[in-house]
Amino acid sequence: LMLACNRISMNRSLSHLIEYRRNCLNGSRRFPIYVSQDCNDADVLALLRSYGEQITILNQPDHSDFNFRHINPNLIAYSLPMYSAISGYYRISRNYKWSLSQMFDERKYNLTIIVEDDLDVAPDFFDYFSSLAPLLMEDKSLFCISAWNDNGIPTLIDKSRNDLLYRSDFFPGLGWMLTRQLWDEELREAWPMAYWDEFMRKKAVRRGRACIRPEISRSHTFGRKGVSNGQFFDSYLRFNYLSDKPFVFNSTLLRITLKPDVYDSQFLTEVYDKSVLLNDRSQLSHLDEASPQSTACRLEYKTREDFVAAARLLGAMQDFKEGVPRTAYMGIVSVFFCGRRIYLAPGGSRGWDNNEYPDWK
């Protein structure tokens, strides 16, 4: 499912999806491509029609403006630029809800992969999701599969590990898959009027569940212009590395190794037992003195300021959503820095349970 508006460069995204789908056995049947076209843009609609039967066009019917005084009578009048920016978030959320209803309520798909019209995808994009689909369907401790690593810039990933996958307490978005059961039982009635991605990161929505994300992203955004006005784009997003080497995942093995009863203990052992503890974040600048390069290192943090300072030194993202750092699992953020695995990990305990995340902003 692609969400589209008025970005004519979506041709770049759509052409790659169709190209890589051809490489999949029975690709057109297994991965039908739907494009939900919002905004009533004539040029985009003409482009979509040029693809013929390769895609199915969904015309989102409601293009009405939002009356914010009706939504909240206490809101003061917005200037035109501010109104345009804020209303964009409402339009996107409205299109998401209508489009997901089309996929799950009308067409009864059990799973849907969601992309927006400014995403490039990796050659193994479809294989990645199809390999993880059985895990998502049966593991109730998960609520999504994502193609995106928020810390996926070249200086923070191991480019040789396109096989490496993680559990994450942070909802990444940017190419993600969810189940009809989640939509039916939880999301449909609670779907927000705006800021749908922030909604997905709320503790009350996530409910202690995780997503799967890759070491090397299977999606890449080129959409600097949008309702967010390029937030994080120039500093992080445009540098995110897109995997260019397909990997054949073993779906049966993933259904064992990524479940929490196996994954959690192995992950904590790697982080707390097999890594070298750094005494101070200044050692990040002298890692060659810490231990052999094949050995992972761990820097523990106890305060928000500790984490932010270490993340800044590494060049990792420093913000929190509902107290969860981007990519974190049990409070642990894993990056690959200067040829070595580095863990930013909570000190004083072996990771955090979901109810232990502090209320850091």
Side-chain angles (χ1 to χ4, degrees), residues 262-307:
V262 173
Y263 181 91
D264 289 4
S265 60
Q266 292 182 349
F267 184 59
L268 291 175
T269 296
E270 292 292 328
V271 173
Y272 286 97
D273 299 333
K274 295 185 178 181
S275 66
V276 173
L277 176 63
L278 301 178
N279 296 318
D280 186 87
R281 61 176 175 267
S282 64
Q283 290 182 273
L284 291 172
S285 302
H286 308 283
L287 287 174
D288 54 333
E289 303 172 6
S291 62
Q293 191 161 347
S294 60
T295 305
C297 292
R298 178 176 84 259
L299 182 64
E300 296 185 353
Y301 65 92
K302 294 185 177 179
T303 67
R304 178 189 180 280
E305 290 70 27
D306 287 344
F307 178 88

Side-chain angles (χ1 to χ4, degrees), residues 35-304:
V35 182
S36 180
Q37 207 269 317
D38 200 2
C39 305
N40 266 341
D41 189 279
D43 292 335
V44 168
L45 186 57
L47 171 65
L48 294 177
R49 286 172 175 164
S50 73
Y51 280 92
E53 295 182 354
Q54 296 179 97
I55 66 171
T56 299
I57 303 171
L58 304 175
N59 288 301
Q60 205 281 101
D62 186 359
H63 303 285
S64 60
D65 290 331
F66 286 91
N67 184 338
F68 291 113
R69 288 191 179 279
H70 174 71
I71 295 170
N72 184 347
N74 296 320
L75 289 176
I76 62 173
Y78 288 114
S79 65
L80 185 59
M82 186 178 294
Y83 172 84
S84 178
I86 293 176
S87 65
Y89 289 107
Y90 282 80
R91 290 178 184 276
I92 290 171
S93 193
R94 178 173 64 189
N95 192 25
Y96 259 88
K97 183 174 185 179
W98 182 84
S99 303
L100 288 171
S101 179
Q102 289 294 305
M103 304 308 290
F104 291 128
D105 301 330
E106 299 298 324
R107 290 166 174 81
K108 305 297 182 183
Y109 288 112
N110 289 321
L111 292 162
T112 296
I113 302 168
I114 303 167
V115 297
E116 295 188 8
D117 58 0
D118 60 351
L119 284 187
D120 281 330
V121 298
D124 62 354
F125 179 83
F126 290 109
D127 288 334
Y128 171 80
F129 279 106
S130 63
S131 297
L132 288 163
L135 175 68
L136 181 61
M137 291 294 288
E138 68 185 31
D139 185 353
K140 302 309 177 185
S141 71
L142 293 177
F143 83 131
C144 89
I145 308 294
S146 175
W148 179 258
N149 175 3
D150 274 294
N151 285 318
I153 59 177
T155 54
L156 293 180
I157 59 172
D158 184 348
K159 291 183 181 179
S160 70
R161 295 299 308 275
N162 62 343
D163 63 311
L164 186 56
L165 305 178
Y166 296 87
R167 294 176 66 93
S168 174
D169 295 323
F170 190 93
F171 172 75
L174 291 173
W176 58 288
M177 180 167 65
L178 78 162
T179 66
R180 175 153 58 102
Q181 183 178 7
L182 182 67
W183 174 255
D184 284 346
E185 297 179 0
E186 301 178 38
L187 298 184
R188 183 199 299 110
E189 299 306 320
W191 196 258
M193 296 188 69
Y195 307 104
W196 69 270
D197 50 345
E198 300 299 322
F199 163 80
M200 292 292 290
R201 293 171 182 139
K202 289 184 177 295
K203 291 179 182 178
V205 175
R206 191 169 65 82
R207 291 170 50 186
R209 293 169 294 192
C211 292
I212 301 297
R213 60 95 176 170
E215 169 81 359
I216 306 177
S217 293
R218 264 57 179 194
S219 62
H220 175 82
T221 178
F222 56 85
R224 187 181 189 281
K225 292 183 178 180
V227 295
S228 65
N229 291 318
Q231 183 187 29
F232 295 131
F233 185 84
D234 289 329
S235 53
Y236 291 101
L237 302 184
R238 72 187 181 99
F239 299 110
N240 203 287
Y241 185 81
L242 179 65
S243 177
D244 58 358
K245 296 181 178 63
F247 183 81
V248 179
F249 290 97
N250 184 327
S251 183
T252 302
L253 185 62
L254 295 179
R255 291 165 70 181
I256 299 171
T257 58
L258 288 175
K259 285 186 176 177
D261 55 345
V262 173
Y263 181 91
D264 289 4
S265 60
Q266 292 182 349
F267 184 59
L268 291 175
T269 296
E270 292 292 328
V271 173
Y272 286 97
D273 299 333
K274 295 185 178 181
S275 66
V276 173
L277 176 63
L278 301 178
N279 296 318
D280 186 87
R281 61 176 175 267
S282 64
Q283 290 182 273
L284 291 172
S285 302
H286 308 283
L287 287 174
D288 54 333
E289 303 172 6
S291 62
Q293 191 161 347
S294 60
T295 305
C297 292
R298 178 176 84 259
L299 182 64
E300 296 185 353
Y301 65 92
K302 294 185 177 179
T303 67
R304 178 189 180 280

Side-chain angles (χ1 to χ4, degrees), residues 313-331:
L313 278 174
L314 293 168
M317 298 196 77
Q318 303 155 32
D319 60 327
F320 303 82
K321 302 292 184 180
E322 297 279 312
V324 182
R326 290 179 187 265
T327 76
Y329 186 61
M330 299 182 175

